[in-house]
Amino acid sequence: DSGVTQTPKHLITATGQRVTLRCSPRSGDLSVYWYQQSLDQGLQFLIHYYNGEERAKGNILERFSAQQFPDLHSELNLSSLELGDSALYFCASSVVLQGNYGYTFGSGTRLTVV
Amino acid sequence: AQKITQTQPGMFVQEKEAVTLDCTYDTSDQSYGLFWYKQPSSGEMIFLIYQGSYDEQNATEGRYSLNFQKARKSANLVISASQLGDSAMYFCAMRENTISTGNQFYFGTGTSLTVIP
């Protein structure tokens, strides 16, 4: 168990709709990273939040937005959904692994847009 | 240019044999970290092993070892005594430390490993 909690595990929705994915990092972890994993694009970095502030942006579409709340949980909002947004969405925390900083991932939210 | 390159989309290995999954990376940083993750069909990403750029010895973790060749910028994962449960996607990743972006990670496209009984 990574300690990073993502909900829901599965989500099926129609094109044009809006969804919210939720991530709770490990207790005490200030960082949340969001990644999108689709079949043709691999793992794509979306956005990084640290203690409520946006630290870095990757290949995040304008239709997508995220925020991190005072209790450190984060939400990724996806709007005007398209078929191509179907993917596995991960959040991760930065943790010490074998003495150095690495990622520990949540179990992911599998989004299917129909 | 790709930061992480995994040239083997798919690999097969006989059970109990060893297998090497290739990974090359591209960075101009002196300080960086290299990671391998396993993604079984259930979807979760599982951390396997880490190698720091200043580590002189190859990292080992149980049946996993990382063949680190800094001059060649390669960080191959070696799995010894393969088991059926090793069948999964394997991702190589690199962490660069930049002041502006913090711990920025880059992932390869992955290698699908199938262990044959």
Side-chain angles (χ1 to χ4, degrees):
Chain A
D1 181 11
S2 68
V4 179
T5 304
Q6 285 189 253
T7 57
K9 288 194 181 304
H10 301 277
L11 200 48
I12 301 175
T13 190
T15 54
Q17 295 298 306
R18 171 190 166 97
V19 297
T20 298
L21 313 183
R22 183 186 169 106
C23 170
S24 294
R26 294 183 348 149
S27 176
D29 287 347
L30 303 179
S31 277
V32 170
Y33 300 79
W34 284 99
Y35 277 81
Q36 178 193 57
Q37 185 183 26
S38 55
L39 284 175
D40 58 346
Q41 293 285 329
L43 269 160
Q44 298 288 317
F45 168 65
L46 296 179
I47 200 163
H48 170 210
Y49 274 85
Y50 181 85
N51 201 20
E53 293 188 1
E54 181 186 304
R55 287 292 303 273
K57 250 182 179 178
N59 300 320
I60 187 166
L61 300 172
E62 285 192 10
R63 300 183 286 108
F64 295 1
S65 65
Q67 54 184 327
Q68 187 179 27
F69 295 87
D71 67 352
L72 300 178
H73 90 271
S74 177
E75 293 181 355
L76 179 66
N77 300 296
L78 316 175
S79 61
S80 303
L81 285 167
E82 302 175 359
L83 296 178
D85 297 328
S86 295
L88 192 52
Y89 291 84
F90 285 106
C91 78
S93 280
S94 183
V95 296
V96 176
L97 300 169
Q98 294 177 358
N100 288 275
Y101 280 105
Y103 277 177
T104 186
F105 286 86
S107 56
T109 293
R110 189 173 296 278
L111 173 66
T112 303
V113 182
V114 298
Chain B
Q2 292 289 331
K3 287 283 190 180
I4 296 287
T5 302
Q6 294 180 254
T7 57
Q8 307 153 313
M11 291 280 286
F12 291 86
V13 63
Q14 202 76 36
E15 193 178 6
K16 299 180 185 176
E17 297 293 314
V19 63
T20 298
L21 306 184
D22 294 342
C23 172
T24 57
Y25 60 92
D26 181 29
T27 182
S28 56
D29 286 1
Q30 295 301 309
S31 176
Y32 52 90
L34 297 158
F35 301 78
W36 278 91
Y37 287 85
K38 172 184 178 182
Q39 186 178 38
S41 58
S42 53
E44 72 267 34
M45 294 285 282
I46 302 167
F47 166 74
L48 295 178
I49 195 167
Y50 168 85
Q51 179 85 40
S53 58
Y54 293 119
D55 295 341
E56 294 185 352
Q57 288 192 324
N58 288 338
T60 61
E61 191 70 25
R63 294 185 299 110
Y64 304 109
S65 60
L66 201 152
N67 184 0
F68 181 47
Q69 298 186 47
K70 192 170 182 176
R72 299 178 65 178
K73 293 189 175 178
S74 74
N76 299 339
L77 176 70
V78 181
I79 305 175
S80 62
S82 296
Q83 302 172 356
L84 296 178
D86 294 334
S87 294
M89 281 290 286
Y90 289 81
F91 291 94
C92 179
M94 177 175 65
R95 183 205 71 223
E96 286 181 333
N97 291 330
T98 61
I99 294 174
S100 59
T101 64
N103 293 319
Q104 177 67 62
F105 263 63
Y106 302 92
F107 285 87
T109 51
T111 295
S112 177
L113 177 66
T114 302
V115 180
I116 303 168

